[in-house]
Amino acid sequence: MSSSSGSSSAAAHHQQHYRHQTGGSGLVPLAALIKEEARTERHSVASGESRISARDEDAAGVGNSGVGGEVAAETRLERPLLRYGCAAQCKKGEDFFLLRTDCPRPAISVSFPDSPHPTFAVFAVLDGHNGNAAAIYTRDNLLNHVLSAMPRGLSRDEWLHMLPIALVAGFVKTDKEFQSKGQTSGTTATFVIIDGWTITVASVGDSRCILDAQGGAVSLLTVDHRLEENIEERERVTASGGEVGRLSVVGGAEIGPLRCWPGGLCLSRSIGDIDVGEFIVPVPYVKQVKLSNAGGRLIIASDGIWDALSSEAAAKSCRGLPAELAAKQVVKEALRTRGLKDDTTCIVVDIIPPGQTIQPLSPPKKMSKLKSLIFRKKAKDPSQKLTKQHSAVGIVEEIFEEGSAMLSERLGPHSDGRRTSSLFTCAICQLDLEPSEGISVHAGSIFSSSSRPWEGPFLCSDCRDKKDAMEGKRPSGVKVL
């Protein structure tokens, strides 16, 4: 009786605490109560680290300081421990970041009542240009748009399977909504979702995410969408109606990096940039990997870091340091190398096996000897099972990778028959459609692998217009005088 009474009292206390923190008045989710009880019983957290509340994380922008935090693992489910830190130096005020460690996954199917991992973590870096409006809007809306594109009633494996499609829809919807406001700024976006040992990264622009796996091998989880360096993107932009060239000065000399005209943007993909033209697309490169239970470290940063340091140099500069100090060290090393010429933002996330308190030092080894072992490439279709056990230290399983800019390829049906939306819902904006309104994403597309325009997913007329504009099938963009 006394034990039961004590448990009830503790539950009531946590429920009252939860309501006080969130301002809510409804029932508290069981997962939240369990998490709160676990937090009160845990006394091994390092005293030098602090936790950022979800409310603070949502509002986080660039400052001349570093922040850090810790997310506890549910050891019963053998989830990894996440420790993270963020540091930044501001020059223009156009870099922003997002740190969310307790995002609830959409309702799990009743067929899987015991499905583990009810929450996931999100880390993002947004590097704005021509103003900060696009970066702020993306920080505040992208996650919700991704979740709204996710079908309900999924098991955890199905959730991970559908993430690449939902990320594409969320990026495009965010871009479409921001462009409708008529503002001309733009932003890169590197958006990282961590669910257990699985990491899914979606990115446009040149903010980068690298993985420093145990064993010392550094792997790139993003692709830089810079016209100067990406031949495939240059060809896509010119085929869609853009012009690529350098800035011309008096006397006919050409200087600087390759840019897209009109607009003069150096990037081939971004969110916003309505004055450049919609052949600068928001369709992200997406990569999904699964770590072994040895864990690893993610470094997510804006180009203020990568213009100064290589991926290997950034990883090496902070090995052996806890995440919060590691983020500060990477920024410090970038400033030492190049100086403060741009906003410089870095997030470090350590994915640590249960039972460990810190991420151990990864001894550097030659990439050439490990390259064939680090990634075991899977098929592009993420329907492959995500439950493969890992025993070798440092092995990373690649589950999904796709970088096409064509929505007919990115939103198409998978082999299991599940689609992002029904016949009467737009796959991008999620608006309900009349039976006669839906337009197949494959209709009229010469790039589509499907020759059946009656196949879903379907788009509303506005999203179909945007798709056509991105593929150069109609004029788009607002010319700013």
Side-chain angles (χ1 to χ4, degrees), residues 61-66 86-90 97 327 331 344-346:
V62 169
N64 299 320
S65 62
C86 182
Q89 288 288 327
C90 178
F97 58 86
V331 171
T344 303
T345 304
C346 178

Side-chain angles (χ1 to χ4, degrees), residues 94-133:
E94 295 177 337
D95 271 15
F96 291 84
F97 58 86
L98 177 67
L99 309 171
R100 290 287 303 272
T101 58
D102 56 354
C103 303
R105 266 195 287 118
I108 298 172
S109 169
V110 294
S111 301
F112 301 89
D114 298 323
S115 180
H117 312 320
T119 62
F120 61 94
V122 174
F123 302 91
V125 168
L126 310 144
D127 181 0
H129 47 263
N130 196 22
N132 60 17

Side-chain angles (χ1 to χ4, degrees), residues 166-228:
L167 283 162
V168 170
F171 269 64
V172 176
K173 182 179 180 181
T174 301
D175 177 77
K176 179 187 172 188
E177 285 187 352
F178 181 74
Q179 287 193 350
S180 71
K181 299 179 179 298
Q183 300 186 63
T184 58
S185 68
T187 185
T188 73
T190 296
F191 198 76
V192 181
I193 292 178
I194 304 175
D195 190 330
W197 298 100
T198 302
I199 304 166
T200 308
V201 183
S203 63
V204 292
D206 56 1
S207 296
R208 189 182 300 173
C209 175
I210 66 171
L211 170 63
D212 189 7
Q214 286 304 306
V218 178
S219 304
L220 192 59
L221 300 186
T222 53
V223 167
D224 289 347
H225 294 125
R226 286 186 172 182
L227 291 166
E228 181 72 33

Side-chain angles (χ1 to χ4, degrees), residues 325-342:
L325 294 179
K328 294 178 180 179
Q329 179 61 31
V330 172
V331 171
K332 180 179 179 180
E333 185 67 16
L335 296 181
R336 185 190 67 81
T337 302
R338 189 169 180 261
L340 184 61
K341 296 184 178 180
D342 195 1

Side-chain angles (χ1 to χ4, degrees), residues 4-37:
S4 175
S5 176
S7 299
S8 298
S9 176
H13 171 75
H14 295 318
Q15 185 167 350
Q16 182 180 7
H17 175 73
Y18 181 88
R19 288 174 178 169
H20 174 72
Q21 291 292 331
T22 60
S25 58
L27 293 176
V28 180
L30 178 59
L33 289 176
I34 294 174
K35 183 176 180 180
E36 186 67 26
E37 289 183 6

Side-chain angles (χ1 to χ4, degrees), residues 78-80 82 101 103-106 108 115-123 150 155-161 163 192-200 288-291 298 351 386 399:
E78 295 189 349
R79 299 197 73 187
L82 298 185
T101 58
C103 303
R105 266 195 287 118
I108 298 172
S115 180
H117 312 320
T119 62
F120 61 94
V122 174
F123 302 91
M150 184 70 69
S155 69
R156 178 173 179 269
D157 282 2
E158 290 172 329
W159 149 265
L160 293 172
H161 169 85
L163 259 182
V192 181
I193 292 178
I194 304 175
D195 190 330
W197 298 100
T198 302
I199 304 166
T200 308
Q288 188 176 71
V289 300
K290 185 173 182 180
L291 295 184
L298 296 176
I351 304 170
L386 309 180
I399 299 167

Side-chain angles (χ1 to χ4, degrees), residues 321-387:
L321 296 176
E324 183 177 355
L325 294 179
K328 294 178 180 179
Q329 179 61 31
V330 172
V331 171
K332 180 179 179 180
E333 185 67 16
L335 296 181
R336 185 190 67 81
T337 302
R338 189 169 180 261
L340 184 61
K341 296 184 178 180
D342 195 1
D343 290 335
T344 303
T345 304
C346 178
I347 299 172
V348 172
V349 184
D350 285 339
I351 304 170
I352 305 172
Q356 290 186 201
T357 58
I358 62 172
Q359 185 74 350
L361 176 66
S362 300
K365 297 181 180 180
K366 291 185 178 180
M367 183 65 178
S368 59
K369 293 183 179 180
L370 289 175
K371 188 174 181 181
S372 62
L373 297 177
I374 296 304
F375 279 99
R376 290 181 175 176
K377 190 171 179 67
K378 304 283 285 187
K380 284 188 176 181
D381 185 351
S383 62
Q384 303 289 340
K385 292 184 178 180
L386 309 180
T387 57

